[in-house]
């Protein structure tokens, strides 16, 4: 039981760190996609801005700096 609690805390901490990297527009879009089962996986950093990447099973979505959602992004994710 203690191990599961520690793993959950680490997961929540990691999710919070990723959440903190998003701007307000991205946070609103993430919240919208979470209604459909997507979970925030990571943020990809580039010179054009941060790209939030979300996963839902084998589905993937990305949210750009403007909060625009792309449910068929042209990115590859390692499993």
């Amino acid at each position: 039981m203690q191990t599961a609690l520690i793993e959950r805390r680490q997961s929540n901490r990691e999710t919070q760190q990723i959440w903190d990297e998003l701007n307000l527009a991205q946070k609103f879009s993430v919240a919208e996609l979470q209604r459909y089962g997507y979970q925030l996986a990571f943020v990809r950093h580039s010179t054009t801005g941060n790209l939030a990447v979300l996963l839902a099973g084998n589905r993937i979505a990305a949210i750009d700096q403007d909060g625009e959602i792309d449910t068929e992004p042209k990115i590859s994710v390692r499993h």
Side-chain angles (χ1 to χ4, degrees):
M1 179 101 163
Q2 181 67 13
T3 303
L5 182 60
I6 291 170
E7 289 174 5
R8 190 176 314 126
R9 285 182 185 163
Q10 289 172 342
S11 176
N12 289 339
R13 189 176 312 127
E14 290 171 2
T15 301
Q16 183 62 45
Q17 289 172 341
I18 296 169
W19 181 260
D20 291 342
E21 295 181 46
L22 304 178
N23 65 33
L24 188 59
Q26 289 173 314
K27 288 178 180 179
F28 276 112
S29 295
V30 167
E32 183 66 24
L33 284 177
Q34 286 176 331
R35 295 176 46 207
Y36 298 98
Y38 285 87
Q39 295 297 315
L40 184 59
F42 61 91
V43 175
R44 184 172 283 177
H45 304 279
S46 73
T47 56
T48 59
N50 294 343
L51 183 71
V53 179
L54 295 88
L55 303 173
N58 62 352
R59 297 176 296 164
I60 186 170
I63 302 172
D64 68 14
Q65 281 293 114
D66 297 325
E68 294 293 321
I69 297 171
D70 182 355
T71 57
E72 295 183 14
K74 304 284 188 269
I75 60 175
S76 60
V77 177
R78 287 180 268 161
H79 294 277

